[in-house]
Amino acid sequence: VNVFAMGGWMHAKLTLVALLTAYFFSLGHFRLKLKENTAYKSGKFFRMYNEIPTLLLMGIVALVIVKPF
């Protein structure tokens, strides 16, 4: 399957997947900071940060189902 012939929706979906992967690695960074007790972020930040994967996954699923472009 030629990925470049599938259209822009595939590139958009893969970009969201890459962002989700980067988010995953950032969680490891924050985990170490919390373990060392050197985290300078508030609880409100982490509650908001927790919503990022939900938004990314909704975008990925929407792109798979709708294939808008």
Side-chain angles (χ1 to χ4, degrees):
V1 175
N2 186 358
V3 175
F4 297 107
M6 291 184 181
W9 70 273
M10 179 63 92
H11 297 297
K13 183 180 76 161
L14 290 175
T15 300
L16 291 178
V17 170
L19 288 173
L20 190 60
T21 303
Y23 172 82
F24 173 76
F25 285 108
S26 73
L27 290 177
H29 168 76
F30 285 127
R31 184 185 67 81
L32 290 177
K33 291 291 185 186
L34 288 168
K35 186 177 178 182
E36 297 168 353
N37 203 19
T38 59
Y40 56 89
K41 301 289 186 180
S42 68
K44 185 176 181 179
F45 168 81
F46 286 113
R47 285 192 300 273
M48 295 298 289
Y49 200 67
N50 189 42
E51 299 305 321
I52 292 173
T54 303
L55 297 173
L56 289 172
L57 288 172
M58 287 184 345
I60 291 167
V61 170
L63 286 170
V64 168
I65 293 173
V66 177
K67 295 182 186 176
F69 40 86

